[in-house]
């Protein structure tokens, strides 16, 4: 293995061998495996450098040129660059780059436009929606009245249901966005429904921000009032988030951008993470370059090739395919709650995915009946359609080998049963063979090609 630790880890190695070893192990895990969790990516060395910069030492409550602390001239400069680049990249009049991550960004939207008890609508979590869009255990359903909408059996958002529920419940806020949705989001149609009932329309583009930036997915900017996104998924930046207010949002409420800013600080957060802001600025600079659009389109092309190969090899996909960067494998033809076994087997073969609910899942979120996977990180490593065919076949082999073999007990012994079959799954001959093929492929596509190591 190339010794990436020389670049990433030399100071830690000198002072803290224990943590250094763990970092080294994580570099090895990433380098020798296919990262296919669709919300993850591989950031550039420039982003890593900015994230590991001295900006982590600084406090800077407030916004550029309006701070509560001294010594912020460089923080002002870098935050201003991040804001201007976000505005340019997405074509919006206002951006806030301070949210610590996606959930706080979404919380800030509620804080800005709703009062506790107001009605809100979002995609139901088991149908692919996000916790913060009104799932029952989250603040978004504890402090607001949540009316979830669903997808149809074909995997597309049920717009007739959304319209019916919106007219019946008159929500203050309607969310569009998801963690597990494979079709293009109907921003225009949902924006029209929100307008019919005078609701705010918020597009949470966390998963697809990079696709939108690279013109590989329709943009919500003409239709939404406010847009939230994380910066670490397809956008390929550090962990972090942004909230953008659109011209439509400012027309509905000229104070909206100010309300969003005040919701983040002083409403919810303290000092911004300036090292994160610097890394977001670098990320947005990268996303503004023409090669980023090539990357974004390749993510989608790779995902289509992957889906096609899996389907040709007897793997059932939710919605029979995908428009974006992710696929959802439906394991119900093998029984219910099989996601845990297939995740375990793919992990052992160095293909990292996550078990996930599928629409109308007959099992539960902890023991779901699906697998979520996608192409952002492996596309960053330079893989193309030919590699997707190989990977799709390997995944299909493992699904067809493992899913029929193991059945989750109905009673409370589920976790004991899963633990008892772990080592058998890991040592399965198909899993072991795929693992060695995956490792050979990974050698051809190093994690960091620009590094001289
Ligand atoms: N955890 C993120 C994801 O994996 O999609 C959503 O918050």
């Amino acid at each position: 293995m190339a010794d990436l630790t020389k670049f990433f880890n030399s100071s830690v190695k000198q002072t803290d061998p224990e943590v250094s070893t763990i970092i080294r192990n994580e570099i090895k895990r990433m380098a020798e495996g296919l990262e296919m969790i669709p919300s993850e990516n591989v950031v550039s060395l420039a982003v890593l450098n900015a994230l590991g910069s001295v900006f982590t030492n600084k406090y800077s409550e407030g916004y550029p040129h309006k701070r509560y602390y001294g010594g912020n001239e460089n923080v002002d400069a870098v935050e201003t660059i991040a804001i201007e680049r976000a505005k340019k990249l997405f074509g919006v009049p206002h951006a806030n780059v301070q949210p610590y991550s996606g959930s706080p960004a979404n919380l800030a939207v509620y804080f800005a436009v709703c009062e506790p008890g107001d009605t809100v609508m979002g995609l139901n979590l088991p149908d692919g929606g996000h916790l913060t869009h009104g799932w029952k255990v989250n603040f978004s359903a504890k402090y607001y009245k949540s009316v979830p909408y669903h997808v149809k059996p074909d995997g597309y958002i049920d717009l007739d249901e959304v319209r019916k529920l919106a007219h019946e419940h008159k929500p203050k806020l309607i969310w569009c966005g998801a963690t597990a949705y494979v079709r293009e989001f109907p921003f225009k149609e949902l924006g029209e429904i929100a307008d019919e009932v005078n609701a705010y329309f918020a597009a949470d583009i966390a998963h697809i921000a990079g696709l939108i930036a690279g013109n590989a997915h329709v943009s919500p900017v003409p239709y939404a009032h406010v847009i939230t996104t994380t910066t670490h998924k397809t956008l390929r930046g550090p962990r972090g988030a942004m909230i953008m207010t659109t011209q439509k949002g400012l027309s509905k409420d000229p104070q909206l951008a100010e309300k969003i800013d005040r919701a983040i600080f002083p409403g919810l957060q303290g000092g911004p993470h300036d090292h994160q802001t610097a890394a977001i600025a670098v990320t947005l600079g990268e996303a503004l370059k023409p090669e980023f659009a090539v990357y974004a389109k390749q993510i989608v092309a790779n995902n289509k090739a992957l889906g096609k190969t899996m389907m040709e090899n007897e793997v059932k996909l939710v919605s029979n395919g995908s428009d974006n960067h992710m696929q959802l494998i439906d394991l119900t033809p093998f029984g219910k709650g099989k996601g845990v076994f297939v995740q375990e087997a793919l992990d052992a073969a160095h293909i990292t995915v996550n078990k996930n609910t599928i629409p109308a899942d007959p099992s539960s979120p902890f023991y779901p009946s699906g697998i979520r996977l996608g192409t952002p990180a492996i596309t960053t490593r330079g893989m193309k359609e030919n590699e997707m065919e190989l990977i799709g076949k390997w995944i299909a082999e493992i699904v067809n080998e493992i899913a029929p073999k193991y059945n989750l007990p109905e009673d409370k012994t589920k976790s004991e049963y899963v633990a008892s079959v772990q080592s058998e799954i890991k040592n399965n001959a198909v899993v072991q063979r795929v693992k060695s093929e995956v490792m050979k492929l990974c050698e051809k596509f190093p994690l960091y090609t620009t590094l001289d190591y």
Side-chain angles (χ1 to χ4, degrees):
M1 183 186 74
D3 190 5
L4 295 176
T5 54
K6 286 203 182 92
F7 180 83
F8 294 119
N9 206 9
S10 55
S11 305
V12 186
K13 201 170 178 177
Q14 277 167 25
T15 60
D16 193 333
E18 206 178 350
V19 172
S20 169
T21 301
I22 299 171
I23 295 175
R24 188 188 157 77
N25 290 345
E26 182 60 2
I27 293 169
K28 187 170 151 65
R29 188 192 68 82
M30 287 180 177
E32 294 181 354
L34 298 171
E35 184 49 72
M36 296 190 71
I37 292 175
S39 47
E40 296 185 14
N41 214 324
V42 183
V43 300
S44 69
L45 294 175
V47 169
L48 277 181
N49 271 345
L51 192 64
S53 68
V54 291
F55 278 119
T56 196
N57 298 336
K58 193 71 196 95
Y59 256 123
S60 47
E61 273 94 332
Y63 289 101
H65 311 292
K66 287 172 280 182
R67 306 280 182 187
Y68 288 80
Y69 290 75
N72 270 305
E73 59 272 28
N74 299 313
V75 172
D76 284 351
V78 84
E79 187 169 336
T80 301
I81 287 177
I83 290 168
E84 292 307 318
R85 287 179 181 172
K87 285 160 60 177
K88 187 171 173 196
L89 184 63
F90 290 99
V92 290
H94 184 267
N96 184 311
V97 298
Q98 292 193 6
Y100 298 147
S101 202
S103 293
N106 290 352
L107 176 56
V109 172
Y110 287 91
F111 205 74
V113 305
C114 294
E115 295 297 326
D118 280 348
T119 299
V120 300
M121 286 178 57
L123 181 62
N124 192 40
L125 183 115
D127 288 53
H130 191 255
L131 280 168
T132 57
H133 298 178
W135 182 239
K136 55 192 173 191
V137 298
N138 186 260
F139 76 85
S140 54
K142 298 254 182 219
Y143 294 105
Y144 304 93
K145 182 172 172 277
S146 170
V147 177
Y149 59 86
H150 304 83
V151 296
K152 296 178 289 175
D154 63 7
Y156 288 79
I157 289 172
D158 187 345
L159 290 167
D160 291 338
E161 185 204 30
V162 180
R163 178 167 273 113
K164 184 173 148 292
L165 291 173
H167 282 268
E168 191 179 328
H169 295 278
K170 300 279 184 299
K172 187 80 166 284
L173 172 65
I174 298 178
W175 284 98
C176 176
T179 52
Y181 186 69
V182 293
R183 292 300 174 192
E184 188 157 85
F185 286 111
F187 293 130
K188 182 170 184 287
E189 292 78 0
L190 287 170
E192 284 166 4
I193 294 171
D195 291 344
E196 285 165 19
V197 297
N198 198 27
Y200 282 97
F201 178 40
D204 176 346
I205 61 168
H207 265 269
I208 50 164
L211 304 187
I212 292 169
N215 292 317
H217 188 293
V218 68
S219 167
V221 169
Y223 315 112
H225 301 105
V226 61
I227 297 169
T228 62
T229 184
T230 50
T231 46
H232 48 271
K233 298 187 174 87
T234 49
L235 197 54
R236 207 166 55 183
R239 304 194 76 83
M242 308 193 295
I243 308 177
M244 296 174 277
T245 308
T246 62
Q247 196 50 58
K248 183 176 173 184
L250 292 177
S251 303
K252 180 173 170 65
D253 178 358
Q255 307 302 314
L256 185 58
E258 206 178 305
K259 287 179 186 169
I260 296 282
D261 281 351
R262 288 189 61 75
I264 286 291
F265 177 83
L268 296 165
Q269 296 190 172
H273 294 174
D274 301 315
H275 58 306
Q276 189 181 47
T277 305
I280 289 173
V282 173
T283 300
L284 295 168
E286 290 176 359
L288 281 161
K289 291 185 180 149
E291 50 266 38
F292 192 84
V294 176
Y295 164 64
K297 291 185 178 83
Q298 189 65 50
I299 295 177
V300 177
N302 279 355
N303 195 44
K304 283 203 188 303
L306 179 76
K308 183 168 172 283
T309 306
M310 290 194 295
M311 284 193 289
E312 283 167 359
N313 288 276
E314 317 299 330
V315 172
K316 186 175 177 201
L317 299 179
V318 169
S319 202
N320 292 315
S322 163
D323 298 327
N324 55 29
H325 61 299
M326 78 162 82
Q327 304 282 356
L328 270 175
I329 298 178
D330 176 355
L331 297 168
T332 54
F334 302 101
K336 60 181 184 176
K338 301 261 183 172
V340 62
F341 306 114
V342 174
Q343 177 186 304
E344 195 78 46
L346 289 170
D347 228 0
H350 288 204
I351 300 174
T352 313
V353 301
N354 67 282
K355 59 184 181 184
N356 212 94
T357 51
I358 54 168
D361 201 309
S363 192
S364 66
F366 198 73
Y367 292 106
S369 305
I371 289 288
R372 186 185 70 148
L373 74 173
T375 52
I378 55 176
T379 305
T380 295
R381 286 179 76 169
M383 296 183 196
K384 298 225 164 74
E385 285 88 339
N386 286 346
E387 287 74 39
M388 299 307 123
E389 274 185 40
L390 292 174
I391 296 167
K393 281 184 189 154
W394 293 333
I395 292 171
E397 273 190 90
I398 288 184
V399 166
N400 291 313
E401 166 75 9
I402 297 295
K405 270 203 168 93
Y406 301 99
N407 293 303
L408 210 54
E410 292 286 344
D411 59 18
K412 290 204 166 101
T413 60
K414 288 185 179 63
S415 64
E416 287 89 337
Y417 176 72
V418 172
S420 75
V421 297
Q422 245 164 359
S423 106
E424 187 180 301
I425 289 177
K426 196 173 170 188
N427 294 313
N428 176 287
V430 173
V431 171
Q432 284 298 312
R433 181 179 48 72
V434 171
K435 174 186 160 185
S436 68
E437 303 209 44
V438 166
M439 288 177 73
K440 268 188 243 151
L441 179 69
C442 288
E443 272 176 27
K444 292 195 218 151
F445 295 91
L447 204 55
Y448 286 101
T449 47
T450 55
L451 196 59
D452 183 18
Y453 56 87

